[in-house]
Amino acid sequence: PFSTAIMKTVDHSMIGRIISVIGVISNGLTPIAMGLGGIVIDNFGLSILFYLAAASILITSVLTVTNKEIQKL
């Protein structure tokens, strides 16, 4: 859905640049997420990390499904 939204809303001459920026941001956040995950595991245990991941996926899904702008796509 995210890439579909990008394709439908961004001007075709800018799609390559936008996808590149998204890739750089995504790849840049990976080491930060790994570091935060390690801190959470060290302090609270592995199971809490899975609960946090599940909660974030659930919240993102609910927000995506209930967003009127996304439903128009």
Side-chain angles (χ1 to χ4, degrees):
F2 181 71
S3 59
T4 301
I6 295 293
M7 297 295 181
K8 286 188 172 190
T9 57
V10 173
D11 185 48
H12 291 291
S13 63
M14 297 295 288
I15 287 178
R17 293 179 184 147
I18 298 297
I19 296 294
S20 295
V21 168
I22 292 169
V24 167
I25 291 169
S26 175
N27 289 332
L29 290 177
T30 300
I32 295 169
M34 288 181 175
L36 290 174
I39 292 169
V40 170
I41 290 171
D42 283 345
N43 292 315
F44 304 105
L46 183 60
S47 61
I48 193 71
L49 184 66
F50 285 116
Y51 290 130
L52 289 172
S56 66
I57 291 169
L58 180 65
I59 291 168
T60 302
S61 299
V62 169
L63 291 175
T64 301
V65 169
T66 59
N67 188 313
K68 300 292 184 194
E69 292 297 320
I70 292 175
Q71 290 175 359
K72 290 179 185 177
L73 293 175

Short mmCIF file of all heavy atoms in Angstrom, two decimals:
data_model
loop_
_atom_site.label_atom_id
_atom_site.label_comp_id
_atom_site.label_asym_id
_atom_site.label_seq_id
_atom_site.Cartn_x
_atom_site.Cartn_y
_atom_site.Cartn_z
N PRO A 1 0.80 -1.21 0.00
CA PRO A 1 0.00 0.00 0.00
C PRO A 1 0.84 1.28 0.00
O PRO A 1 0.47 2.24 -0.62
CB PRO A 1 -0.82 -0.10 1.28
CG PRO A 1 -0.87 -1.54 1.62
CD PRO A 1 0.39 -2.11 1.05
N PHE A 2 1.99 1.25 0.69
CA PHE A 2 2.81 2.45 0.76
C PHE A 2 3.35 2.81 -0.61
O PHE A 2 3.27 3.97 -1.04
CB PHE A 2 3.95 2.26 1.75
CG PHE A 2 4.83 3.47 1.89
CD1 PHE A 2 4.35 4.60 2.53
CD2 PHE A 2 6.11 3.48 1.38
CE1 PHE A 2 5.15 5.74 2.65
CE2 PHE A 2 6.91 4.60 1.50
CZ PHE A 2 6.42 5.73 2.13
N SER A 3 3.88 1.83 -1.33
CA SER A 3 4.44 2.13 -2.65
C SER A 3 3.34 2.52 -3.64
O SER A 3 3.56 3.35 -4.51
CB SER A 3 5.25 0.95 -3.17
OG SER A 3 4.44 -0.20 -3.25
N THR A 4 2.15 1.94 -3.48
CA THR A 4 1.02 2.32 -4.33
C THR A 4 0.65 3.77 -4.08
O THR A 4 0.39 4.52 -5.04
CB THR A 4 -0.19 1.41 -4.05
OG1 THR A 4 0.17 0.07 -4.30
CG2 THR A 4 -1.37 1.79 -4.92
N ALA A 5 0.62 4.18 -2.82
CA ALA A 5 0.31 5.57 -2.50
C ALA A 5 1.35 6.51 -3.09
O ALA A 5 1.01 7.58 -3.61
CB ALA A 5 0.23 5.74 -0.99
N ILE A 6 2.61 6.11 -3.04
CA ILE A 6 3.68 6.93 -3.64
C ILE A 6 3.47 7.06 -5.14
O ILE A 6 3.53 8.16 -5.70
CB ILE A 6 5.07 6.32 -3.34
CG1 ILE A 6 5.37 6.34 -1.85
CG2 ILE A 6 6.17 7.03 -4.13
CD1 ILE A 6 5.54 7.70 -1.26
N MET A 7 3.18 5.95 -5.80
CA MET A 7 3.01 5.96 -7.25
C MET A 7 1.81 6.81 -7.68
O MET A 7 1.83 7.45 -8.72
CB MET A 7 2.84 4.54 -7.78
CG MET A 7 4.03 3.66 -7.55
SD MET A 7 5.44 4.25 -8.49
CE MET A 7 6.65 3.05 -8.06
N LYS A 8 0.77 6.81 -6.88
CA LYS A 8 -0.45 7.54 -7.25
C LYS A 8 -0.39 9.02 -6.90
O LYS A 8 -1.10 9.82 -7.52
CB LYS A 8 -1.66 6.91 -6.57
CG LYS A 8 -2.07 5.59 -7.18
CD LYS A 8 -3.37 5.11 -6.60
CE LYS A 8 -3.86 3.89 -7.36
NZ LYS A 8 -5.23 3.54 -6.98
N THR A 9 0.41 9.40 -5.92
CA THR A 9 0.38 10.79 -5.46
C THR A 9 1.57 11.63 -5.90
O THR A 9 1.45 12.84 -5.96
CB THR A 9 0.28 10.85 -3.92
OG1 THR A 9 1.37 10.14 -3.35
CG2 THR A 9 -1.01 10.24 -3.43
N VAL A 10 2.69 11.00 -6.22
CA VAL A 10 3.89 11.75 -6.58
C VAL A 10 3.96 11.92 -8.09
O VAL A 10 3.61 11.02 -8.85
CB VAL A 10 5.15 11.00 -6.05
CG1 VAL A 10 6.42 11.66 -6.55
CG2 VAL A 10 5.12 10.95 -4.55
N ASP A 11 4.41 13.08 -8.51
CA ASP A 11 4.60 13.35 -9.94
C ASP A 11 5.57 12.32 -10.52
O ASP A 11 6.58 11.99 -9.91
CB ASP A 11 5.14 14.76 -10.11
CG ASP A 11 5.25 15.16 -11.56
OD1 ASP A 11 4.27 14.95 -12.31
OD2 ASP A 11 6.31 15.68 -11.95
N HIS A 12 5.26 11.84 -11.70
CA HIS A 12 6.05 10.75 -12.31
C HIS A 12 7.52 11.13 -12.51
O HIS A 12 8.39 10.26 -12.46
CB HIS A 12 5.43 10.32 -13.63
CG HIS A 12 4.12 9.62 -13.46
ND1 HIS A 12 4.01 8.37 -12.89
CD2 HIS A 12 2.86 10.01 -13.76
CE1 HIS A 12 2.75 8.01 -12.85
NE2 HIS A 12 2.01 8.99 -13.37
N SER A 13 7.81 12.40 -12.70
CA SER A 13 9.20 12.80 -12.90
C SER A 13 10.00 12.77 -11.59
O SER A 13 11.22 12.79 -11.62
CB SER A 13 9.26 14.20 -13.50
OG SER A 13 8.71 15.15 -12.61
N MET A 14 9.30 12.69 -10.45
CA MET A 14 9.96 12.71 -9.14
C MET A 14 9.97 11.36 -8.43
O MET A 14 10.56 11.24 -7.36
CB MET A 14 9.25 13.73 -8.24
CG MET A 14 9.31 15.15 -8.73
SD MET A 14 10.98 15.80 -8.73
CE MET A 14 11.25 15.99 -7.00
N ILE A 15 9.35 10.34 -9.00
CA ILE A 15 9.21 9.05 -8.32
C ILE A 15 10.57 8.46 -7.96
O ILE A 15 10.77 7.98 -6.84
CB ILE A 15 8.36 8.06 -9.16
CG1 ILE A 15 6.90 8.50 -9.11
CG2 ILE A 15 8.51 6.64 -8.65
CD1 ILE A 15 5.97 7.65 -9.94
N GLY A 16 11.51 8.48 -8.87
CA GLY A 16 12.83 7.92 -8.60
C GLY A 16 13.52 8.59 -7.43
O GLY A 16 14.11 7.92 -6.57
N ARG A 17 13.42 9.89 -7.37
CA ARG A 17 14.05 10.63 -6.28
C ARG A 17 13.38 10.33 -4.94
O ARG A 17 14.05 10.14 -3.93
CB ARG A 17 13.99 12.12 -6.56
CG ARG A 17 14.84 12.52 -7.75
CD ARG A 17 14.74 13.99 -8.03
NE ARG A 17 15.50 14.29 -9.24
CZ ARG A 17 15.18 15.23 -10.09
NH1 ARG A 17 14.13 15.99 -9.87
NH2 ARG A 17 15.91 15.43 -11.16
N ILE A 18 12.07 10.29 -4.95
CA ILE A 18 11.32 10.01 -3.72
C ILE A 18 11.62 8.61 -3.21
O ILE A 18 11.88 8.40 -2.01
CB ILE A 18 9.80 10.20 -3.94
CG1 ILE A 18 9.48 11.64 -4.33
CG2 ILE A 18 9.01 9.77 -2.73
CD1 ILE A 18 9.82 12.67 -3.28
N ILE A 19 11.62 7.63 -4.10
CA ILE A 19 11.92 6.25 -3.71
C ILE A 19 13.35 6.16 -3.15
O ILE A 19 13.60 5.44 -2.19
CB ILE A 19 11.72 5.28 -4.90
CG1 ILE A 19 10.26 5.27 -5.33
CG2 ILE A 19 12.20 3.89 -4.56
CD1 ILE A 19 9.28 4.71 -4.33
N SER A 20 14.28 6.91 -3.74
CA SER A 20 15.66 6.91 -3.25
C SER A 20 15.75 7.49 -1.84
O SER A 20 16.44 6.94 -0.98
CB SER A 20 16.55 7.72 -4.19
OG SER A 20 16.64 7.10 -5.45
N VAL A 21 15.05 8.59 -1.60
CA VAL A 21 15.05 9.20 -0.27
C VAL A 21 14.44 8.25 0.75
O VAL A 21 14.97 8.09 1.86
CB VAL A 21 14.30 10.56 -0.29
CG1 VAL A 21 14.05 11.07 1.11
CG2 VAL A 21 15.08 11.57 -1.11
N ILE A 22 13.35 7.61 0.40
CA ILE A 22 12.71 6.65 1.31
C ILE A 22 13.67 5.51 1.61
O ILE A 22 13.78 5.06 2.76
CB ILE A 22 11.39 6.13 0.71
CG1 ILE A 22 10.37 7.27 0.69
CG2 ILE A 22 10.85 4.94 1.50
CD1 ILE A 22 9.12 6.96 -0.11
N GLY A 23 14.40 5.03 0.60
CA GLY A 23 15.37 3.96 0.81
C GLY A 23 16.50 4.37 1.74
O GLY A 23 16.91 3.61 2.61
N VAL A 24 17.00 5.59 1.56
CA VAL A 24 18.08 6.09 2.42
C VAL A 24 17.60 6.21 3.87
O VAL A 24 18.29 5.80 4.80
CB VAL A 24 18.60 7.45 1.90
CG1 VAL A 24 19.47 8.14 2.92
CG2 VAL A 24 19.35 7.26 0.59
N ILE A 25 16.40 6.74 4.05
CA ILE A 25 15.85 6.87 5.41
C ILE A 25 15.65 5.50 6.03
O ILE A 25 16.02 5.27 7.19
CB ILE A 25 14.54 7.67 5.38
CG1 ILE A 25 14.82 9.14 5.02
CG2 ILE A 25 13.82 7.59 6.72
CD1 ILE A 25 13.59 9.95 4.72
N SER A 26 15.08 4.59 5.26
CA SER A 26 14.82 3.24 5.78
C SER A 26 16.12 2.53 6.17
O SER A 26 16.22 1.95 7.24
CB SER A 26 14.07 2.43 4.73
OG SER A 26 13.91 1.11 5.14
N ASN A 27 17.10 2.59 5.30
CA ASN A 27 18.38 1.94 5.59
C ASN A 27 19.12 2.64 6.73
O ASN A 27 19.84 2.01 7.49
CB ASN A 27 19.26 1.90 4.34
CG ASN A 27 18.73 0.92 3.32
OD1 ASN A 27 18.07 -0.06 3.65
ND2 ASN A 27 18.99 1.20 2.05
N GLY A 28 18.93 3.94 6.86
CA GLY A 28 19.58 4.67 7.94
C GLY A 28 18.96 4.37 9.30
O GLY A 28 19.64 4.42 10.32
N LEU A 29 17.68 4.06 9.32
CA LEU A 29 17.01 3.76 10.58
C LEU A 29 17.25 2.32 11.06
O LEU A 29 17.04 2.03 12.24
CB LEU A 29 15.51 4.01 10.45
CG LEU A 29 15.09 5.46 10.32
CD1 LEU A 29 13.58 5.58 10.11
CD2 LEU A 29 15.51 6.26 11.53
N THR A 30 17.70 1.45 10.18
CA THR A 30 17.92 0.06 10.56
C THR A 30 18.92 -0.09 11.71
O THR A 30 18.62 -0.78 12.69
CB THR A 30 18.35 -0.77 9.34
OG1 THR A 30 17.31 -0.71 8.36
CG2 THR A 30 18.61 -2.22 9.70
N PRO A 31 20.11 0.51 11.66
CA PRO A 31 21.04 0.36 12.79
C PRO A 31 20.50 0.98 14.08
O PRO A 31 20.75 0.48 15.17
CB PRO A 31 22.31 1.06 12.35
CG PRO A 31 22.12 1.54 10.99
CD PRO A 31 20.73 1.24 10.56
N ILE A 32 19.74 2.06 13.94
CA ILE A 32 19.15 2.68 15.13
C ILE A 32 18.13 1.74 15.76
O ILE A 32 18.10 1.55 16.99
CB ILE A 32 18.51 4.04 14.77
CG1 ILE A 32 19.60 5.02 14.32
CG2 ILE A 32 17.71 4.60 15.93
CD1 ILE A 32 19.09 6.28 13.69
N ALA A 33 17.30 1.12 14.93
CA ALA A 33 16.30 0.17 15.44
C ALA A 33 16.98 -1.04 16.08
O ALA A 33 16.50 -1.54 17.11
CB ALA A 33 15.39 -0.28 14.30
N MET A 34 18.07 -1.50 15.50
CA MET A 34 18.79 -2.63 16.10
C MET A 34 19.36 -2.26 17.46
O MET A 34 19.31 -3.04 18.41
CB MET A 34 19.92 -3.09 15.18
CG MET A 34 19.46 -3.80 13.96
SD MET A 34 20.88 -4.30 12.98
CE MET A 34 20.09 -5.22 11.70
N GLY A 35 19.90 -1.05 17.57
CA GLY A 35 20.43 -0.60 18.85
C GLY A 35 19.34 -0.47 19.90
O GLY A 35 19.51 -0.91 21.04
N LEU A 36 18.22 0.12 19.52
CA LEU A 36 17.10 0.24 20.46
C LEU A 36 16.55 -1.12 20.86
O LEU A 36 16.20 -1.35 22.03
CB LEU A 36 15.99 1.10 19.86
CG LEU A 36 16.31 2.58 19.71
CD1 LEU A 36 15.18 3.30 18.98
CD2 LEU A 36 16.56 3.22 21.06
N GLY A 37 16.49 -2.03 19.89
CA GLY A 37 16.04 -3.39 20.19
C GLY A 37 16.97 -4.08 21.18
O GLY A 37 16.51 -4.76 22.11
N GLY A 38 18.26 -3.87 21.03
CA GLY A 38 19.22 -4.45 21.97
C GLY A 38 19.06 -3.89 23.37
O GLY A 38 19.13 -4.63 24.36
N ILE A 39 18.82 -2.60 23.46
CA ILE A 39 18.60 -1.98 24.77
C ILE A 39 17.35 -2.54 25.42
O ILE A 39 17.34 -2.85 26.62
CB ILE A 39 18.53 -0.44 24.63
CG1 ILE A 39 19.90 0.11 24.23
CG2 ILE A 39 18.04 0.21 25.91
CD1 ILE A 39 19.90 1.56 23.81
N VAL A 40 16.28 -2.67 24.64
CA VAL A 40 15.02 -3.21 25.18
C VAL A 40 15.22 -4.64 25.65
O VAL A 40 14.77 -5.02 26.74
CB VAL A 40 13.89 -3.12 24.13
CG1 VAL A 40 12.66 -3.91 24.57
CG2 VAL A 40 13.51 -1.68 23.86
N ILE A 41 15.91 -5.46 24.86
CA ILE A 41 16.14 -6.86 25.23
C ILE A 41 16.99 -6.94 26.50
O ILE A 41 16.69 -7.73 27.41
CB ILE A 41 16.81 -7.62 24.08
CG1 ILE A 41 15.82 -7.80 22.92
CG2 ILE A 41 17.32 -8.99 24.55
CD1 ILE A 41 16.45 -8.35 21.66
N ASP A 42 18.03 -6.14 26.59
CA ASP A 42 18.89 -6.17 27.78
C ASP A 42 18.14 -5.77 29.05
O ASP A 42 18.36 -6.32 30.12
CB ASP A 42 20.09 -5.23 27.60
CG ASP A 42 21.16 -5.82 26.70
OD1 ASP A 42 21.11 -7.04 26.45
OD2 ASP A 42 22.03 -5.05 26.25
N ASN A 43 17.27 -4.77 28.93
CA ASN A 43 16.60 -4.25 30.12
C ASN A 43 15.29 -4.96 30.46
O ASN A 43 14.93 -5.02 31.64
CB ASN A 43 16.34 -2.75 29.96
CG ASN A 43 17.62 -1.96 29.97
OD1 ASN A 43 18.49 -2.19 30.79
ND2 ASN A 43 17.75 -1.03 29.04
N PHE A 44 14.57 -5.46 29.46
CA PHE A 44 13.23 -6.00 29.71
C PHE A 44 13.02 -7.43 29.24
O PHE A 44 12.01 -8.04 29.56
CB PHE A 44 12.17 -5.10 29.05
CG PHE A 44 12.24 -3.68 29.49
CD1 PHE A 44 12.76 -2.71 28.65
CD2 PHE A 44 11.80 -3.30 30.75
CE1 PHE A 44 12.82 -1.38 29.06
CE2 PHE A 44 11.86 -1.99 31.16
CZ PHE A 44 12.37 -1.03 30.31
N GLY A 45 13.93 -7.95 28.44
CA GLY A 45 13.79 -9.31 27.93
C GLY A 45 13.26 -9.33 26.50
O GLY A 45 12.74 -8.34 25.99
N LEU A 46 13.38 -10.47 25.88
CA LEU A 46 13.02 -10.62 24.48
C LEU A 46 11.52 -10.56 24.25
O LEU A 46 11.06 -10.00 23.25
CB LEU A 46 13.58 -11.94 23.94
CG LEU A 46 13.36 -12.23 22.46
CD1 LEU A 46 14.00 -11.15 21.60
CD2 LEU A 46 13.92 -13.59 22.11
N SER A 47 10.74 -11.11 25.15
CA SER A 47 9.29 -11.17 24.93
C SER A 47 8.67 -9.78 24.82
O SER A 47 7.75 -9.57 24.01
CB SER A 47 8.61 -11.98 26.01
OG SER A 47 8.80 -11.38 27.27
N ILE A 48 9.15 -8.81 25.59
CA ILE A 48 8.58 -7.47 25.52
C ILE A 48 8.84 -6.85 24.17
O ILE A 48 8.00 -6.09 23.65
CB ILE A 48 9.10 -6.57 26.67
CG1 ILE A 48 8.26 -5.29 26.78
CG2 ILE A 48 10.54 -6.19 26.47
CD1 ILE A 48 6.90 -5.50 27.29
N LEU A 49 9.96 -7.18 23.54
CA LEU A 49 10.25 -6.67 22.20
C LEU A 49 9.23 -7.18 21.21
O LEU A 49 8.74 -6.43 20.36
CB LEU A 49 11.67 -7.06 21.77
CG LEU A 49 12.13 -6.50 20.43
CD1 LEU A 49 12.25 -4.98 20.50
CD2 LEU A 49 13.45 -7.11 20.03
N PHE A 50 8.86 -8.45 21.31
CA PHE A 50 7.85 -9.00 20.42
C PHE A 50 6.49 -8.36 20.68
O PHE A 50 5.73 -8.09 19.75
CB PHE A 50 7.76 -10.52 20.57
CG PHE A 50 8.91 -11.23 19.91
CD1 PHE A 50 9.81 -11.97 20.67
CD2 PHE A 50 9.11 -11.16 18.54
CE1 PHE A 50 10.87 -12.62 20.08
CE2 PHE A 50 10.17 -11.81 17.93
CZ PHE A 50 11.06 -12.54 18.71
N TYR A 51 6.16 -8.12 21.94
CA TYR A 51 4.90 -7.44 22.26
C TYR A 51 4.87 -6.02 21.70
O TYR A 51 3.85 -5.57 21.16
CB TYR A 51 4.66 -7.41 23.77
CG TYR A 51 4.33 -8.76 24.37
CD1 TYR A 51 5.02 -9.22 25.48
CD2 TYR A 51 3.35 -9.57 23.81
CE1 TYR A 51 4.73 -10.46 26.03
CE2 TYR A 51 3.06 -10.80 24.35
CZ TYR A 51 3.75 -11.24 25.47
OH TYR A 51 3.45 -12.47 26.01
N LEU A 52 5.98 -5.31 21.82
CA LEU A 52 6.05 -3.96 21.26
C LEU A 52 5.93 -3.97 19.74
O LEU A 52 5.25 -3.12 19.16
CB LEU A 52 7.36 -3.28 21.68
CG LEU A 52 7.49 -2.89 23.14
CD1 LEU A 52 8.91 -2.41 23.45
CD2 LEU A 52 6.48 -1.82 23.50
N ALA A 53 6.58 -4.93 19.11
CA ALA A 53 6.50 -5.04 17.65
C ALA A 53 5.07 -5.35 17.21
O ALA A 53 4.54 -4.75 16.27
CB ALA A 53 7.45 -6.11 17.14
N ALA A 54 4.42 -6.28 17.91
CA ALA A 54 3.04 -6.64 17.58
C ALA A 54 2.11 -5.45 17.80
O ALA A 54 1.22 -5.19 16.97
CB ALA A 54 2.59 -7.83 18.42
N ALA A 55 2.31 -4.72 18.88
CA ALA A 55 1.47 -3.56 19.16
C ALA A 55 1.66 -2.49 18.09
O ALA A 55 0.68 -1.87 17.63
CB ALA A 55 1.79 -3.00 20.53
N SER A 56 2.89 -2.26 17.67
CA SER A 56 3.13 -1.24 16.64
C SER A 56 2.53 -1.65 15.30
O SER A 56 1.98 -0.80 14.59
CB SER A 56 4.62 -0.94 16.51
OG SER A 56 5.32 -2.06 16.02
N ILE A 57 2.59 -2.93 14.96
CA ILE A 57 1.96 -3.40 13.73
C ILE A 57 0.44 -3.26 13.81
O ILE A 57 -0.20 -2.81 12.86
CB ILE A 57 2.36 -4.86 13.44
CG1 ILE A 57 3.84 -4.93 13.07
CG2 ILE A 57 1.50 -5.46 12.33
CD1 ILE A 57 4.40 -6.34 13.01
N LEU A 58 -0.13 -3.59 14.95
CA LEU A 58 -1.58 -3.46 15.13
C LEU A 58 -2.02 -2.01 15.04
O LEU A 58 -2.99 -1.69 14.34
CB LEU A 58 -1.99 -4.06 16.47
CG LEU A 58 -3.47 -4.00 16.81
CD1 LEU A 58 -4.26 -4.86 15.83
CD2 LEU A 58 -3.72 -4.46 18.23
N ILE A 59 -1.31 -1.12 15.71
CA ILE A 59 -1.67 0.30 15.67
C ILE A 59 -1.54 0.86 14.25
O ILE A 59 -2.43 1.58 13.77
CB ILE A 59 -0.79 1.10 16.65
CG1 ILE A 59 -1.16 0.73 18.09
CG2 ILE A 59 -0.92 2.60 16.43
CD1 ILE A 59 -0.19 1.23 19.13
N THR A 60 -0.47 0.51 13.56
CA THR A 60 -0.28 0.97 12.19
C THR A 60 -1.38 0.44 11.29
O THR A 60 -1.90 1.17 10.44
CB THR A 60 1.10 0.52 11.66
OG1 THR A 60 2.11 1.03 12.52
CG2 THR A 60 1.33 1.01 10.25
N SER A 61 -1.77 -0.81 11.46
CA SER A 61 -2.83 -1.39 10.65
C SER A 61 -4.16 -0.69 10.88
O SER A 61 -4.88 -0.37 9.93
CB SER A 61 -2.98 -2.88 10.96
OG SER A 61 -1.80 -3.57 10.66
N VAL A 62 -4.49 -0.45 12.13
CA VAL A 62 -5.76 0.22 12.45
C VAL A 62 -5.76 1.64 11.89
O VAL A 62 -6.75 2.08 11.29
CB VAL A 62 -6.00 0.22 13.98
CG1 VAL A 62 -7.15 1.14 14.35
CG2 VAL A 62 -6.28 -1.19 14.46
N LEU A 63 -4.67 2.36 12.06
CA LEU A 63 -4.60 3.72 11.53
C LEU A 63 -4.69 3.74 10.00
O LEU A 63 -5.29 4.64 9.42
CB LEU A 63 -3.32 4.41 12.00
CG LEU A 63 -3.25 4.73 13.49
CD1 LEU A 63 -1.87 5.30 13.84
CD2 LEU A 63 -4.34 5.71 13.89
N THR A 64 -4.09 2.75 9.37
CA THR A 64 -4.14 2.67 7.91
C THR A 64 -5.55 2.37 7.42
O THR A 64 -6.03 2.99 6.48
CB THR A 64 -3.16 1.59 7.40
OG1 THR A 64 -1.84 1.93 7.84
CG2 THR A 64 -3.17 1.49 5.90
N VAL A 65 -6.21 1.44 8.05
CA VAL A 65 -7.56 1.05 7.63
C VAL A 65 -8.57 2.17 7.87
O VAL A 65 -9.50 2.34 7.09
CB VAL A 65 -7.98 -0.26 8.35
CG1 VAL A 65 -9.44 -0.56 8.15
CG2 VAL A 65 -7.14 -1.41 7.87
N THR A 66 -8.39 2.94 8.92
CA THR A 66 -9.36 3.97 9.26
C THR A 66 -9.06 5.33 8.63
O THR A 66 -9.89 6.25 8.74
CB THR A 66 -9.46 4.15 10.79
OG1 THR A 66 -8.17 4.50 11.29
CG2 THR A 66 -9.96 2.88 11.45
N ASN A 67 -7.96 5.48 7.95
CA ASN A 67 -7.58 6.74 7.34
C ASN A 67 -8.38 6.95 6.05
O ASN A 67 -8.31 6.16 5.12
CB ASN A 67 -6.08 6.75 7.05
CG ASN A 67 -5.60 8.10 6.58
OD1 ASN A 67 -6.19 8.73 5.72
ND2 ASN A 67 -4.49 8.53 7.15
N LYS A 68 -9.13 8.04 5.97
CA LYS A 68 -9.98 8.33 4.81
C LYS A 68 -9.17 8.58 3.55
O LYS A 68 -9.58 8.20 2.45
CB LYS A 68 -10.87 9.55 5.10
CG LYS A 68 -11.79 9.37 6.27
CD LYS A 68 -12.84 8.34 6.01
CE LYS A 68 -13.79 8.27 7.20
NZ LYS A 68 -14.62 7.09 7.17
N GLU A 69 -8.02 9.23 3.68
CA GLU A 69 -7.20 9.50 2.51
C GLU A 69 -6.66 8.20 1.89
O GLU A 69 -6.60 8.08 0.67
CB GLU A 69 -6.04 10.43 2.88
CG GLU A 69 -6.46 11.83 3.23
CD GLU A 69 -7.11 12.56 2.06
OE1 GLU A 69 -6.65 12.40 0.93
OE2 GLU A 69 -8.10 13.27 2.31
N ILE A 70 -6.28 7.27 2.72
CA ILE A 70 -5.78 5.99 2.20
C ILE A 70 -6.91 5.20 1.56
O ILE A 70 -6.71 4.53 0.55
CB ILE A 70 -5.09 5.20 3.32
CG1 ILE A 70 -3.82 5.92 3.75
CG2 ILE A 70 -4.77 3.77 2.88
CD1 ILE A 70 -3.11 5.32 4.91
N GLN A 71 -8.11 5.28 2.12
CA GLN A 71 -9.25 4.57 1.55
C GLN A 71 -9.58 5.09 0.14
O GLN A 71 -10.08 4.33 -0.68
CB GLN A 71 -10.46 4.70 2.45
CG GLN A 71 -10.34 3.93 3.74
CD GLN A 71 -11.49 4.16 4.68
OE1 GLN A 71 -12.42 4.91 4.39
NE2 GLN A 71 -11.46 3.49 5.82
N LYS A 72 -9.31 6.35 -0.13
CA LYS A 72 -9.57 6.91 -1.46
C LYS A 72 -8.63 6.37 -2.52
O LYS A 72 -8.95 6.41 -3.70
CB LYS A 72 -9.46 8.43 -1.41
CG LYS A 72 -10.56 9.09 -0.63
CD LYS A 72 -10.34 10.59 -0.61
CE LYS A 72 -11.36 11.28 0.26
NZ LYS A 72 -11.12 12.73 0.34
N LEU A 73 -7.46 5.89 -2.10
CA LEU A 73 -6.50 5.36 -3.08
C LEU A 73 -7.04 4.09 -3.64
O LEU A 73 -6.91 3.66 -4.69
CB LEU A 73 -5.14 5.13 -2.43
CG LEU A 73 -4.40 6.37 -1.98
CD1 LEU A 73 -3.13 5.98 -1.25
CD2 LEU A 73 -4.05 7.26 -3.15
#
